Amino acid sequence: VARADGVDRGVHRVARAESALSSGDVVEAARLSLDVLDRWPWDARASRVAAVALARLDDPEAALPHIERAGQSGTATADDWTE
């Protein structure tokens, strides 16, 4: 049963963003994770994907707040910063 607040769809989008990042589609990963963060700005998994994707797209200024949020939440690891 889906929740009325759309959280289930957000979780699904984060999973799709993680999958896109794993397959090397950083543009799609950034798009999906930022879409989730527009609605759920506290989502740590989406912050991690956004941070990694934006960093790999050479946009450190856009990546920085997501890097900080992912680091604070403990979702980012050293492996996230190596390709």
Side-chain angles (χ1 to χ4, degrees):
V1 174
R3 291 174 44 169
D5 60 6
V7 169
D8 292 335
R9 283 188 318 198
V11 170
H12 179 68
R13 283 190 181 164
V14 173
R16 286 177 40 210
E18 289 171 331
S19 177
L21 187 62
S22 293
S23 68
D25 189 351
V26 293
V27 172
E28 181 70 357
R31 185 186 71 75
L32 288 167
S33 61
L34 292 172
D35 185 45
V36 170
L37 290 168
D38 280 344
R39 183 146 183 195
W40 300 283
W42 60 87
D43 191 296
R45 286 175 55 204
S47 289
R48 179 191 140 307
V49 174
V52 174
L54 291 168
R56 290 184 184 169
L57 289 169
D58 292 326
D59 194 349
E61 196 170 307
L64 186 58
H66 304 293
I67 291 169
E68 291 171 349
R69 193 172 306 124
Q72 290 169 353
S73 69
T75 58
T77 67
D79 292 337
D80 289 330
W81 312 115
T82 60
E83 290 189 51

